[in-house]
Amino acid sequence: MTAIPNNEPAMKDREFRWFAELVRSHSGISFGPDTRFLLERRVARRMRELSIESVSAYQYELRSESRRDGELAALIDEITTNETYFFRERSQLRALVAEILPEALVARRERGGGAVSVWSAGCSSGEEPYCIVILAREAGFDPERDLRVYASDISRRMMKRARAGSYREASFRETEPALRAKYFEEKDGVWTISDAVKKCVDFIHLNL
């Protein structure tokens, strides 16, 4: 068996190939030699959560017919979870609302259509799609009439957090205080998005 130290995980080459293929076949995410350490680190983190001390024992867990699906979903969650925050890509978001959305609305209305659909793929915990709605409202659009935002992520854990719409201070490092006060309510250090914004986003669990 291959022991997993507390700090740095260690996998044999064949174990790395096994995990890399497992993740690729179920999520489409590929790990090669240059990103091996990332996969090892996320696997080791999941093993510590389960108090599993060897790679082979964790492989057995993932091969178990009764536990495989649930644990595989948990591992994919661990691998795909990335840090994000509100207005992380501010220039792109503003371009979407100031340039792309107005042109798309004109084109839709000329064809007798309604709202413009916007898809936030890989939305993680929901900051990006909520930002789109906030900026659209600030620009004078009516999100309920003018656009519908769809947001998806492979992580069920992130989808649950996104639907809840509750965030801590770290998510607001690039957010103006006035916008946070306008669109969020604070209680015990947790800021929750307003229902007026939340109802404009449809969250979908989806593996691209």
Side-chain angles (χ1 to χ4, degrees), residues 45-90:
R45 187 183 302 169
R46 184 63 192 155
M47 289 171 59
R48 286 194 293 271
E49 291 176 0
L50 297 172
S51 298
I52 293 176
E53 297 182 353
S54 72
V55 174
S56 59
Y58 189 43
Q59 286 178 301
Y60 179 82
E61 186 80 8
L62 287 165
R63 290 188 178 109
S64 170
E65 187 172 337
S66 62
R67 297 186 294 273
R68 174 186 172 91
D69 290 345
E71 181 51 36
L72 180 57
L75 177 60
I76 297 299
D77 271 358
E78 186 68 56
I79 288 170
T80 57
T81 298
N82 294 303
E83 182 187 35
T84 186
Y85 47 88
F86 285 97
F87 302 102
R88 183 178 182 181
E89 303 291 346
R90 184 180 296 270

Side-chain angles (χ1 to χ4, degrees), residues 1-207:
M1 293 185 178
T2 303
I4 299 294
N6 289 331
N7 295 323
E8 291 296 329
M11 283 185 188
K12 296 177 181 177
D13 288 345
R14 67 174 181 273
E15 292 169 337
F16 167 72
R17 290 193 296 269
W18 187 88
F19 275 99
E21 176 56 25
L22 179 71
V23 171
R24 187 204 62 76
S25 64
H26 286 85
S27 71
I29 300 171
S30 297
F31 288 92
D34 293 341
T35 53
R36 174 172 175 161
F37 75 98
L38 292 173
L39 177 60
E40 289 181 331
R41 188 173 298 169
R42 297 298 173 92
V43 168
R45 187 183 302 169
R46 184 63 192 155
M47 289 171 59
R48 286 194 293 271
E49 291 176 0
L50 297 172
S51 298
I52 293 176
E53 297 182 353
S54 72
V55 174
S56 59
Y58 189 43
Q59 286 178 301
Y60 179 82
E61 186 80 8
L62 287 165
R63 290 188 178 109
S64 170
E65 187 172 337
S66 62
R67 297 186 294 273
R68 174 186 172 91
D69 290 345
E71 181 51 36
L72 180 57
L75 177 60
I76 297 299
D77 271 358
E78 186 68 56
I79 288 170
T80 57
T81 298
N82 294 303
E83 182 187 35
T84 186
Y85 47 88
F86 285 97
F87 302 102
R88 183 178 182 181
E89 303 291 346
R90 184 180 296 270
S91 61
Q92 295 179 20
L93 292 169
R94 291 198 181 281
L96 171 65
V97 172
E99 301 173 24
I100 299 172
L101 179 57
E103 293 180 5
L105 276 172
V106 170
R108 290 277 291 179
R109 287 167 180 167
E110 287 177 349
R111 297 194 300 268
V116 171
S117 295
V118 178
W119 179 22
S120 174
C123 70
S124 190
S125 46
E127 286 90 335
E128 180 180 89
Y130 287 140
C131 280
I132 293 170
V133 176
I134 289 171
L135 289 177
R137 289 175 65 94
E138 290 295 298
F141 295 103
D142 180 352
E144 293 186 68
R145 179 196 64 205
D146 297 329
L147 76 156
R148 191 68 203 176
V149 179
Y150 299 91
S152 65
D153 199 271
I154 190 176
S155 170
R156 295 184 186 277
R157 181 173 57 180
M158 289 296 102
M159 285 287 88
K160 184 177 180 179
R161 287 181 57 186
R163 291 188 180 103
S166 296
Y167 303 91
R168 294 192 177 274
E169 192 67 31
S171 293
F172 298 98
R173 67 192 73 172
E174 296 293 333
T175 305
E176 294 94 337
L179 283 180
R180 181 162 70 168
K182 185 175 181 179
Y183 291 104
F184 295 83
E185 292 186 5
E186 188 271 339
K187 182 178 180 181
D188 299 329
V190 176
W191 295 78
T192 301
I193 195 82
S194 69
D195 288 339
V197 174
K198 186 184 292 186
K199 68 182 179 181
C200 295
V201 182
D202 288 326
F203 289 102
I204 307 163
H205 176 251
L206 181 66
N207 180 5

